[in-house]
Amino acid sequence: MNEQAQRAGFKSMDEGTQEDWAIIGSHFFPYAHALPDRVLTHLKLLDGDYGGFPIDRLQHSLQTATRAHRGGESEPYVVMALLHDIGDTLGSYNHPEIAAAIMKPFVDDKLHWIAEHHGVFQGYYFFHYLGMNRDMREAFRGHEHFEDTARFCELYDQTAFDPDYDSAPLEFFEPMVRRVFERPLNTIYKAVGEPA
């Protein structure tokens, strides 16, 4: 079948037919299954990007995930730790929200919340040096995931800038990323399901 025959024929969605959406659907699942490859490729963009820190952003991500893994955290938690700063390349001012959006379909509410809010919680350790309020996280005091997020930053994120730490390589985490991203838990498209 030629490439044109494998593409929908509409010029606007209101002209779409069942056949058009069957074609689109047949492309969606193979593309969706390749998401771990795209995520891992994007994570590698952090390699060599120091931003003034003692280690580059990829090493920080690996170190955070390694510390979480060695701390006995669940596989989804370790993947969240690995990807928590993946948004740095595209979201200089909102990287936590980007990481959280990528992970949202694949993790529970707690891990999504930690990823989405870790930036303001991490600020406890340095905001005051930038003329900001280090206690900004207090606005979330009382939230069910407040302590979990503070713990993530205290144990794994803020400690992960040690040039001498023996972090596991990215290849160690790749199977975990693939397993966590294998099947979405939270998505409006969950009802569509896999093709037969």
Side-chain angles (χ1 to χ4, degrees), residues 41-83:
T41 296
H42 195 88
L43 189 64
K44 291 174 189 175
L45 295 176
L46 302 177
D47 190 17
D49 181 2
Y50 287 83
F53 288 97
I55 59 175
D56 70 36
R57 286 178 163 92
L58 177 59
Q59 289 306 311
H60 168 68
S61 298
L62 293 171
Q63 193 173 138
T64 304
T66 301
R67 288 176 182 278
H69 181 262
R70 291 176 183 163
E73 303 297 345
S74 69
E75 190 165 89
Y77 191 108
V78 171
V79 170
M80 181 275 297
L82 178 68
L83 301 180

Side-chain angles (χ1 to χ4, degrees), residues 12 29 31 34 38 41 79 82-83 89-90 94 121 126-128 140 142 149 151 162 189-192 196:
S12 64
F29 289 107
Y31 187 75
R38 294 190 301 278
T41 296
V79 170
L82 178 68
L83 301 180
T89 55
L90 294 174
N94 67 331
F121 279 70
F126 70 91
F127 278 175
H128 52 297
F140 299 102
T149 308
R151 179 179 174 274
D162 182 353
Y189 297 108
K190 189 174 182 181
V192 174

Side-chain angles (χ1 to χ4, degrees), residues 96-151:
E97 290 90 347
I98 292 172
I102 292 168
M103 290 185 283
K104 185 174 183 175
F106 305 100
V107 297
D108 62 25
D109 289 340
K110 178 177 87 171
L111 295 181
H112 176 258
W113 205 90
I114 292 171
E116 186 174 33
H117 293 87
H118 81 270
V120 72
F121 279 70
Q122 186 79 329
Y124 176 79
Y125 299 96
F126 70 91
F127 278 175
H128 52 297
Y129 296 122
L130 302 176
M132 298 170 65
N133 179 6
R134 73 182 299 192
D135 292 319
M136 221 181 280
R137 69 185 188 174
E138 290 302 317
F140 299 102
R141 175 79 60 190
H143 188 279
E144 65 178 316
H145 302 311
F146 181 96
E147 294 300 332
D148 295 313
T149 308
R151 179 179 174 274

